Amino acid sequence: MMDFITVRGAHREYQTASALRGVDLEIAGGVWCSIVGPSGSGKSTLLNLLGGLDSPTKGQVFIDGVDLRTLSENEMARFRREKIGFIFQQSYLIPYLSSLDNVMLSQYFHSMTDSSEAEEALKRVGLGHRLHHRPSELSGGEQQRVTVARALINSPKILLADEPTGNLDRENTKLIMELLKRLHEEERFTIVLVTHDPFVSKWAERIVTMEDGRIIKDEPLY
Amino acid sequence: MSLFISEAFAVGIKEGFKLWLVWLVFSSLLKEQDRPGLMRPFYLGLALTSMLFAASFLAAPGQQARGLLVGLTGYTFFIFFLSSALALYQGAGVNLFGPLRLTNRHLLRAVITASTVFYFSPDIIGSSMFVRDAAEMKASYAGVYLSAASGFILPLIFIFTPVQARAGRLVSGYFGLPQFLLFLSVIKLLGGGIKGFAEFSLMPLVQAGLMKFFHDVVHQTFVYLMVPDHPMLNTTAWNFVGIFFGSNISIAATLLLLLIPPSVFLHQSFLAPVPEPGGGAATGAERRMFKSSVVADRRRKAVPVIFFMAFILISWYSGAGDTASRLYNPKPKPVVEDKGQVVIPFTDPTMDLLDGRLHKFSLVSGQEAISIIVIKKPDGGLAVCLDACEICSPEGYGQTEGKVVCIYCMTPIPVSTLGRPGGCNPIPLNAIITERDLRIDVAEILLKWKDVKTGKTKGAAE
Amino acid sequence: MLLSLLKHSFLRQKKAMAMMVVSVSMGTAIAASLIALSMDIKGKVSKELRSFGANITVTPKIEGIAGIAGQRRYLREEDIIRIKTIFWRHNIVGIAPALEENAELSYGDKRRKITAVGTWFKKELPLPGETAKFEAGVTTVSPWWAIEGSPPEAGGVVLGSSLSRELGVREGDEVLLDERPFKVTGIVETGGIEDGRAFLDLWDMQQLKGLPGKVSTISVSALTTPMDEFAYKDPSLMSRKEYEKWYCTGYVTSIAKQIEEVVAGGRAKPVWHIAETEGIVLGRMSMLIYLLSAASLLASALGVSTTMVAGLLRRLDEIGLMKAIGADGIQIIVIFLSEALIIGTAGGIAGYVVSIGVAKVVGLKVFGVALSERALLLPVSVAMALLIAAIGSLLPIRRALKIKPAVILKGAR
């Protein structure tokens, strides 16, 4: 049986440099996997391939049995909103919408809005008192928690996180990681988390280390 | 190209296009519902229609059959519209159809075949009669028939091209049974006329029919409510009632009549509560997905309904002008002989003889009804004439702004010259005008009417 | 959600949105007032053509040696009333005879070679065999003639407006016509060649020129059945049934034919070609108007487009993010088109309001009549405005669709 995520011989070349030079990776469903490595090692590029934000110049990416190359742009968008949740390094919220509206925007693109469900999701990440605040009125940690709520609102099968705690202090980082752990245990979605922070990477069940566009180490923690 | 030939071509295209459109939507509807077998009764209906068409073409029916057909086209519209309205109500959750559900397969097939014949044959036969007339006027049968036939075939070519499949995919998903029935009635309304360019659509006919219906309903209601001798029933009251007979109100009311069913449907489509998914969908996302698919389907199905409503509104609006400028041709009011005279009072509860409008009266003599017109002239006098002239067939006169028009040859006649003999003017009658009524000797009427008839027979024998 | 997005979008770019609404409303206003103008002019002209004016003229037949020698022929005045005896007599609503001759007009020391016309302005004719009288004269065939003063009686003359201006003649002055004195009783203005002519009573003219009982043309205004294809058929080729119908139908051709039969030496011709040429001119004019409308609509569509693109460039990140969290092309298009819808509706209504004023002013300035407002133009304006807004947002939408969701991500470019 094919694993939930399968990457086969993925290359990604840019005009001046190549970011990925033949990556093979399999991740089983429900697993929390960290990808670590120095900057420029190609870990973010790999994550973008998994999220369909970028496509490999060579090789294939399968997610849940679907070859991402076969999807048109609109099918890809649909795939993203139904299967994938994103958390980025910067919170990337729409600045003029309240936290509730930001979560509901994701619902809107997915199917239709449901404010009580969105409120519930924000309460789960501990922001029940911040529903109608704009991103600029929230702290960095709170913003990132809104992002978590938004990423998980459509019950995705994979959560892709790119340096989710890159801009946070240790205390907030810990808060976010505990939150992710709790939600992961409740819903058992697959997590692929890119980081260079060993404190963050060790929350995972498996750590993949990259360097120079290749995987150099792949170790399970449990 | 001669006008007759191009007109025949246009009539052909219209019929062909109608057939193609219905074929397209029906076949894609069946594909959507996965019942392609029901195309067969449709084809059977078409075959029967073409047999009827061939028979009528060989038999060359006369004027009477034509009148019947014109009526029939009007009724087909109403029947399809009515059933679409019922189906729309059904779709909106109002259960009117429950006991009428067609569960029997054979019955369903029979209904499809019969509806097909009923839908297409009046138009096709009527249009072919029109084409025949055109051919006779032109005296070039081959050219006219050929252009009509080629016009008919032209849109049908689509059936064998990829256009059919692509268009079919485009419309599927937008049509349920109610939408299809509504579509049929709108097609009928817009293209059901069988008088060539003069009456391309059924709009004027339907408008006139609906307005007459409305008029009669209002009239009967008031007649029923008010006993004629009641003192309350003076002219003023009737004038007030007359507002309801005004064409603006009638047009609005009939439009309302047509637009209510689709409006109810739309109201339901957009405002009815969305059902929750059954079987306990696990996550909120799944729940929302189910509900949004229901909403999306409702919206898609509402698109044709909105589209048709807009169509009806627009064509009603543009057609209303036509009706207003059409001839005012009142229904003759029966009068009876009284001591050798016909007495017509100037005012009675239902009319005011001196209002400047054309008034018609009919006197029954033996087998015939003799029609008399009365109108107030600009100089204040009353013109009293037979509703016929010396030459034309006695189809009578109608009225438009400031003129009286011969219905047969559409010749306008200045109202001020009415009452004078000659030309295309109606034949004047000698009337005794008293203070409150006018009296005509029946002998005079019968004599002049006899002249009309003998004049006509003489003309035909020449 | 969509409403909330739109609300914020409008609130955050008030200036740009206002600009777009103004741009749309200007284009719509110009187009709508042009269309109102063209509709009104067409309506006015065709109505006048339809309801007034002579539609048949009777002139002397020119034939044989007289035609070659160029000798003038005349109709007889006594035949005029016979026109009211034909089968279609009731449909003849106006008759005016004319005797046109060259003459020399002088006032003080100014002299002019002009065309003098003897006619009836208003004259009651007894009808043969009837007690009622028939009113004939110029006023019955050309009701639009504006006469200042009174119609000429015996010994009087009415001058065309440009002629009177040229000579400085006023009502009440005395002029010489072929050396005979006439009193100017009025000035006539028609906007046509009549403005350069002098009009006197038919009898005076006949005396002046020594042509008693003669007229050169008769204009007839008849109420007719509109011409259809049947009317253009050649009566001599018709079947008996058809001929009967043709005969019983008041086409201008059949009426003209019967007039010809009663006016000795006359040839009666329908004058529809005048209407036809006017129709061509009108057609060209409305073509021009439509082109101008299209140009102004296009210009404001461009305005919308540039403003929207500028706004889009500031929202690149936002759209990238929306795509990253799963918005597909259609959803992005819906957002932009909804904006265009609001801009278009607002601009269309504003444009319609402006166009009412513009059409009034322009109508008064250019054509001397206030154009009537038309409720029909409101939906038309809104439709045009929506079209502009939709066309204007075409380019921005294309740009927005091209945005890659990865633009917001670090490391990807």
Side-chain angles (χ1 to χ4, degrees):
Chain A
M1 196 198 99
M2 194 179 256
D3 280 306
F4 188 68
I5 297 175
T6 309
V7 180
R8 276 192 201 145
H11 288 255
R12 181 66 175 96
E13 271 137 33
Y14 294 108
Q15 272 140 355
T16 50
S18 34
L20 293 182
R21 310 170 179 214
V23 171
D24 290 284
L25 179 67
E26 267 131 32
I27 301 173
V31 168
W32 181 334
C33 173
S34 285
I35 300 179
V36 297
S39 53
S41 60
K43 51 191 195 308
S44 286
T45 309
L46 178 61
L47 195 78
N48 290 348
L49 294 190
L50 296 182
L53 299 177
D54 198 357
S55 44
T57 40
K58 217 168 96 188
Q60 288 163 295
V61 179
F62 292 90
I63 292 183
D64 203 6
V66 179
D67 184 351
L68 295 193
R69 277 187 317 181
T70 61
L71 298 181
S72 72
E73 203 169 315
N74 280 347
E75 285 167 342
M76 186 64 93
R78 187 173 169 175
F79 175 80
R80 272 201 295 273
R81 66 187 179 227
E82 286 175 10
K83 297 262 167 78
I84 298 176
F86 283 106
I87 304 173
F88 309 111
Q89 176 174 11
Q90 269 140 24
S91 58
Y92 285 122
L93 295 165
I94 306 254
Y96 51 84
L97 293 180
S98 67
S99 37
L100 185 66
D101 278 348
N102 263 297
V103 176
M104 281 166 65
L105 186 65
S106 197
Q107 288 181 326
Y108 172 70
F109 289 136
H110 172 263
S111 49
M112 63 193 286
T113 55
D114 182 335
S115 61
S116 61
E117 193 194 323
E119 263 180 62
E120 201 52 48
L122 281 167
K123 278 179 193 152
R124 275 211 297 175
V125 299
L127 286 176
H129 57 299
R130 294 286 201 199
L131 296 178
H132 300 293
H133 290 67
R134 303 228 176 138
S136 55
E137 297 159 345
L138 301 174
S139 73
E142 285 172 329
Q143 286 185 24
Q144 206 57 307
R145 277 188 274 160
V146 176
T147 322
V148 172
R150 182 181 69 189
L152 298 177
I153 190 69
N154 294 326
S155 312
K157 293 198 165 169
I158 318 168
L159 182 68
L160 298 177
D162 190 0
E163 305 272 14
T165 57
N167 292 344
L168 301 181
D169 55 24
R170 192 44 35 113
E171 196 181 330
N172 268 313
T173 301
K174 193 159 172 254
L175 215 65
I176 292 286
M177 295 320 287
E178 279 168 353
L179 176 64
L180 279 181
K181 183 147 181 74
R182 199 183 78 225
L183 294 172
H184 181 243
E185 274 164 8
E186 280 171 22
E187 297 188 16
R188 297 310 297 182
F189 41 82
T190 311
I191 298 183
V192 181
L193 189 150
V194 166
T195 183
H196 59 266
D197 184 347
F199 174 76
V200 172
S201 64
K202 69 171 196 236
W203 291 74
E205 295 156 309
R206 174 180 167 189
I207 297 181
V208 172
T209 311
M210 289 186 69
E211 202 179 290
D212 226 6
R214 289 192 187 87
I215 293 173
I216 54 166
K217 203 159 83 179
D218 189 346
E219 47 183 348
L221 286 185
Y222 301 105
Chain B
M1 189 160 52
S2 149
L3 198 88
F4 282 126
I5 291 195
S6 57
E7 193 167 2
F9 188 67
V11 166
I13 280 204
K14 188 186 75 177
E15 295 304 332
F17 195 64
K18 262 181 348 198
L19 179 56
W20 176 65
L21 270 180
V22 172
W23 191 315
L24 171 76
V25 175
F26 189 57
S27 61
S28 67
L29 176 76
L30 291 184
K31 216 173 269 170
E32 174 89 355
Q33 300 193 342
D34 206 20
R35 303 169 84 174
L38 291 182
M39 270 318 261
R40 235 172 299 150
F42 175 69
Y43 294 140
L44 180 63
L46 287 186
L48 285 175
T49 304
S50 44
M51 272 155 71
L52 271 175
F53 161 71
S56 81
F57 198 78
L58 295 176
Q63 280 299 328
Q64 218 168 9
R66 187 166 320 209
L68 200 74
L69 273 175
V70 170
L72 204 58
T73 52
Y75 285 118
T76 47
F77 163 75
F78 278 114
I79 285 177
F80 279 95
F81 186 77
L82 218 64
S83 38
S84 78
L86 288 176
L88 281 175
Y89 276 126
Q90 182 84 9
V94 185
N95 200 1
L96 296 168
F97 251 8
L100 281 173
R101 269 250 136 95
L102 282 177
T103 39
N104 186 315
R105 221 158 47 94
H106 296 292
L107 191 61
L108 180 62
R109 280 160 185 271
V111 166
I112 291 176
T113 305
S115 314
T116 310
V117 175
F118 186 57
Y119 189 80
F120 284 112
S121 51
D123 299 22
I124 289 198
I125 294 174
S127 288
S128 77
M129 280 182 179
F130 175 82
V131 170
R132 175 195 292 276
D133 284 358
E136 265 166 20
M137 287 285 253
K138 176 76 189 162
S140 121
Y141 290 83
V144 173
Y145 285 140
L146 215 66
S147 87
S150 53
F152 181 72
I153 289 168
L154 202 64
L156 294 182
I157 291 174
F158 286 134
I159 292 174
F160 305 102
T161 62
V163 175
Q164 175 87 356
R166 288 188 63 174
R169 270 199 301 278
L170 203 70
V171 298
S172 71
Y174 289 90
F175 280 83
L177 182 65
Q179 285 79 7
F180 179 61
L181 289 172
L182 188 62
F183 168 78
L184 287 182
S185 58
V186 167
I187 291 286
K188 197 83 183 174
L189 184 66
L190 294 179
I194 52 173
K195 292 187 190 163
F197 287 153
E199 208 169 287
F200 218 64
S201 81
L202 274 186
M203 212 68 190
L205 193 73
V206 169
Q207 236 165 15
L210 270 179
M211 278 167 76
K212 187 177 173 313
F213 171 74
F214 179 75
H215 180 276
D216 289 355
V217 167
V218 173
H219 195 121
Q220 280 309 316
T221 314
F222 279 102
V223 166
Y224 184 75
L225 284 179
M226 302 178 174
V227 188
D229 293 337
H230 201 277
M232 184 183 144
L233 204 71
N234 51 29
T235 319
T236 329
W238 272 107
N239 281 344
F240 179 71
V241 171
I243 294 174
F244 290 101
F245 295 102
S247 60
N248 278 336
I249 296 229
S250 309
I251 286 178
T254 52
L255 193 55
L256 211 64
L257 220 60
L258 283 182
L259 291 185
I260 282 176
S263 313
V264 170
F265 174 78
L266 289 182
H267 177 264
Q268 285 291 316
S269 291
F270 288 113
L271 296 179
V274 181
E276 293 289 328
T283 65
E286 278 163 358
R287 228 187 77 243
R288 276 185 281 121
M289 199 56 123
F290 172 81
K291 287 169 85 168
S292 86
S293 72
V294 171
V295 171
D297 186 57
R298 281 184 185 176
R299 280 191 191 151
R300 252 202 318 276
K301 293 262 166 33
V303 167
V305 177
I306 293 176
F307 188 69
F308 296 145
M309 274 174 83
F311 239 89
I312 289 180
L313 260 173
I314 291 169
S315 33
W316 208 258
Y317 181 82
S318 50
D322 285 0
T323 318
S325 69
R326 274 171 154 245
L327 291 183
Y328 168 70
N329 185 12
K331 206 169 141 189
K333 221 180 131 179
V335 286
V336 287
E337 181 179 346
D338 179 24
K339 294 175 202 147
Q341 279 188 323
V342 167
V343 180
I344 301 169
F346 287 167
T347 53
D348 78 13
T350 55
M351 61 144 204
D352 176 7
L353 204 58
L354 307 175
D355 60 4
R357 296 218 274 178
L358 184 68
H359 296 272
K360 292 198 176 188
F361 301 93
S362 90
L363 173 72
V364 177
S365 152
Q367 297 285 314
E368 307 168 303
I370 303 171
S371 180
I372 297 163
I373 57 176
V374 179
I375 188 169
K376 191 181 152 194
K377 298 200 286 184
D379 63 8
L382 273 178
V384 184
C385 309
L386 279 183
D387 194 13
C389 83
E390 288 164 6
I391 300 150
C392 282
S393 0
E395 289 191 25
Y397 294 82
Q399 187 182 28
T400 69
E401 32 183 325
K403 281 170 266 172
V404 164
V405 178
C406 169
I407 291 170
Y408 179 66
C409 63
M410 296 310 279
T411 297
I413 290 150
V415 176
S416 57
T417 71
L418 286 185
R420 285 196 235 145
C424 229
N425 280 27
I427 296 159
L429 293 169
N430 289 324
I432 305 140
I433 292 169
T434 71
E435 269 181 21
R436 52 168 67 183
D437 55 25
L438 61 90
R439 290 148 192 266
I440 319 163
D441 280 334
V442 172
E444 153 108 358
I445 297 173
L446 292 178
L447 183 75
K448 296 222 166 130
W449 180 250
K450 214 177 117 199
D451 284 350
V452 171
K453 283 180 56 192
T454 50
K456 222 182 105 208
T457 33
K458 200 179 106 208
E462 261 173 44
Chain C
M1 197 66 232
L2 183 61
L3 286 182
S4 155
L5 280 178
L6 291 175
K7 190 182 90 191
H8 287 291
S9 167
F10 274 85
L11 285 180
R12 280 181 319 119
Q13 345 180 31
K14 281 183 206 131
K15 242 190 220 162
M17 292 296 172
M19 278 269 296
M20 285 193 268
V21 170
V22 169
S23 164
V24 169
S25 68
M26 289 326 284
T28 315
I30 293 174
S33 27
L34 283 173
I35 290 173
L37 270 179
S38 94
M39 274 162 69
D40 239 56
I41 295 166
K42 232 191 243 169
K44 281 203 163 80
V45 171
S46 67
K47 195 172 170 192
E48 270 171 14
L49 284 178
R50 235 183 303 132
S51 50
F52 306 124
N55 43 12
I56 297 171
T57 53
V58 192
T59 49
K61 232 180 262 177
I62 299 174
E63 52 191 17
I65 293 173
I68 299 166
Q71 186 193 336
R72 288 208 60 175
R73 289 182 156 245
Y74 295 96
L75 303 170
R76 297 183 308 181
E77 187 183 340
E78 66 212 67
D79 284 342
I80 293 173
I81 197 60
R82 296 185 62 193
I83 294 175
K84 282 295 282 182
T85 65
I86 62 166
F87 176 79
W88 290 109
R89 56 187 175 275
H90 299 306
N91 284 44
I92 307 291
V93 293
I95 301 179
L99 179 60
E100 291 180 19
E101 294 293 329
N102 293 328
E104 195 178 63
L105 180 76
S106 56
Y107 176 65
D109 51 357
K110 294 178 206 154
R111 281 163 180 275
R112 289 280 186 284
K113 284 263 179 215
I114 57 150
T115 302
V117 183
T119 183
W120 299 331
F121 273 77
K122 207 172 210 183
K123 180 168 175 142
E124 292 213 321
L125 299 178
L127 287 175
E130 280 185 56
T131 49
K133 298 225 165 146
F134 176 69
E135 196 183 292
V138 172
T139 46
T140 60
V141 295
S142 317
W144 63 88
W145 281 26
I147 301 172
E148 223 175 286
S150 54
E153 299 136 23
V157 66
V158 164
L159 296 185
S161 59
S162 55
L163 186 62
S164 76
R165 221 173 296 131
E166 222 174 287
L167 297 174
V169 182
R170 284 159 189 274
E171 188 189 328
D173 291 345
E174 208 177 71
V175 293
L176 294 178
L177 209 61
D178 281 1
E179 309 303 329
R180 230 182 275 183
F182 284 91
K183 192 173 170 226
V184 178
T185 62
I187 310 293
V188 65
E189 177 149 17
T190 69
I193 50 164
E194 291 86 356
D195 288 356
R197 296 186 165 182
F199 296 88
L200 43 161
D201 190 70
L202 181 62
W203 195 84
D204 277 347
M205 188 69 191
Q206 288 167 343
Q207 295 307 309
L208 188 68
K209 287 290 172 186
L211 295 165
K214 305 278 194 225
V215 294
S216 53
T217 57
I218 305 170
S219 306
V220 179
S221 174
L223 210 51
T224 65
T225 310
M227 294 291 281
D228 48 24
E229 207 216 355
F230 180 65
Y232 287 104
K233 283 188 91 163
D234 185 351
S236 59
L237 297 177
M238 284 179 187
S239 72
R240 207 193 52 74
K241 198 177 152 198
E242 282 173 333
Y243 187 79
E244 200 173 82
K245 176 159 186 183
W246 184 80
Y247 188 72
C248 169
T249 307
Y251 295 125
V252 69
T253 43
S254 36
I255 296 180
K257 193 166 179 178
Q258 291 179 16
I259 291 176
E260 222 163 72
E261 283 165 11
V262 295
V263 177
R267 152 167 284 181
K269 269 192 161 174
V271 287
W272 57 53
H273 40 268
I274 294 173
E276 273 169 17
T277 32
E278 294 221 16
I280 292 169
V281 172
L282 276 177
R284 290 202 180 133
M285 209 166 102
S286 31
M287 187 73 189
L288 189 71
I289 280 176
Y290 289 132
L291 279 178
L292 278 175
S293 314
S296 69
L297 291 181
L298 205 68
S300 63
L302 275 177
V304 170
S305 189
T306 46
T307 319
M308 230 182 207
V309 168
L312 175 76
L313 291 179
R314 263 178 276 124
R315 293 164 69 183
L316 283 183
D317 279 2
E318 207 179 303
I319 291 158
L321 174 64
M322 286 181 185
K323 288 190 157 186
I325 62 175
D328 60 28
I330 293 165
Q331 287 167 327
I332 299 286
I333 290 174
V334 164
I335 293 173
F336 277 84
L337 274 190
S338 311
E339 275 181 20
L341 182 80
I342 295 172
I343 293 169
T345 313
I349 293 172
Y352 172 69
V353 172
V354 174
S355 80
I356 294 175
V358 171
K360 277 229 165 85
V361 172
V362 171
L364 273 177
K365 286 252 144 87
V366 181
F367 298 94
V369 276
L371 299 179
S372 47
E373 52 198 271
R374 287 161 190 272
L376 179 65
L377 272 183
L378 178 60
V380 172
S381 310
V382 173
M384 286 192 301
L386 288 178
L387 194 72
I388 298 176
I391 292 175
S393 51
L394 220 59
L395 195 68
I397 286 176
R398 276 179 64 105
R399 288 286 293 268
L401 289 182
K402 276 193 190 144
I403 295 170
K404 290 267 174 276
V407 288
I408 58 161
L409 300 173
K410 67 165 187 136
R413 37 193 60 88

